[in-house]
Amino acid sequence: MDRTVYLNGAWVAEGEAKVSIFDRGFLFADAIYEVTAVIQGKLVDYPGHVARLKRSLGALGIAMPVAEEVLLELHKQIARRNGVEDGLIYLQISRGVQDRDFVFPETMEPTFVMFTQKKKVLDNPKWKTGLSVKTVAEGRWSDRQIKTVQLLYSSLRKTEANREGYDDVLFVENGHITEASSANFHIVTQEGVLVTRDLSNALLHGITRGSILHLAREAELVVEERAFTPQEAKSASEAFVTSATSFVTPVVRLDGEKIGTGETGPVSGKLLEIYIREQLAAGIPVAS
Ligand code: PDD
């Protein structure tokens, strides 16, 4: 393969085209794409693809990286440069490069790539034989126990919440809280019971969550793993999130209402203290 691809305003040999590992397309799936077919040197349904591209970019708040006339010229040129009479033109635009953070700034320099794939689009044997298919459960994306980089929705909602003055969001499904954008969420009831969502494909199985529940049980707290509502969280005596980046961090307000006193509570404070102490004692030294 010896294609010329398009990368951020330049024509580059495919082997030379490099995108940063800090690109948000790579880290957060924060990118959109289009595929346009070429048959006998003609772009197929081009206006429809451009219209959808603009809708996708608009929905994510990513600026169109080039003017529309330039975009058409790029489609023509990339096909000509690669001798594509029949094939596909793939384009992808990501929000751009930033140190990893769920929250992104209002303006960023998008990453824009295009490449071609030669393919005999008009010579499709399946047009004669037809396809054989099977049904699977619709689950795009309902496998949240897998720690994938499909983080676009979480990133969009957290950024939006930040701009509204909140620190984070809690996702609610069928009336029950699943988790925060990038942390597990727990409450302590007025009776002192630690309630946390039970493990399933509805949420990520947090490593910190597991350790904290273990420490809580050791400290003789009653732990219940079950679904709970935002209303129950608002009536809790305290609440907190857990993650590898925040350890145990209290949550003091939900939808503008105080949780408990609206101040940080003793249970989360104690669990944070025990967790840090334990990890400082048992953590693996990097210097050995
Ligand atoms: N996120 N839930 C989600 C959706 C997460 O992304 C994370 C962690 C957690 C907590 O898991 P753990 O305790 O294993 O870190 C729960 C990391 C910190 C991140 O994306 O930055």
Side-chain angles (χ1 to χ4, degrees), residues 100 102 147 151 179-184 204-209 242-245:
R100 186 177 184 272
F102 277 74
K147 198 165 169 63
L151 296 169
E179 58 183 327
S181 69
S182 57
N184 293 116
L204 188 75
H205 301 186
I207 302 305
T208 322
R209 173 193 181 280
T242 56
S243 77
T245 50

Side-chain angles (χ1 to χ4, degrees), residues 98-109:
Q98 177 204 18
D99 198 7
R100 186 177 184 272
D101 194 334
F102 277 74
V103 178
F104 53 84
E106 216 122 356
T107 50
M108 286 185 63
E109 192 71 40

Side-chain angles (χ1 to χ4, degrees), residues 215 219 238 248 265-277:
L215 293 175
E238 59 182 289
V248 179
V267 177
S268 58
K270 191 77 199 157
L271 289 171
L272 175 64
E273 190 189 309
I274 306 173
Y275 184 60
I276 293 176
R277 195 188 321 130

Side-chain angles (χ1 to χ4, degrees), residues 193-211:
V193 177
L194 197 171
V195 181
T196 194
R197 183 73 188 244
D198 52 314
L199 295 180
S200 68
N201 63 351
L203 70 164
L204 188 75
H205 301 186
I207 302 305
T208 322
R209 173 193 181 280
S211 296

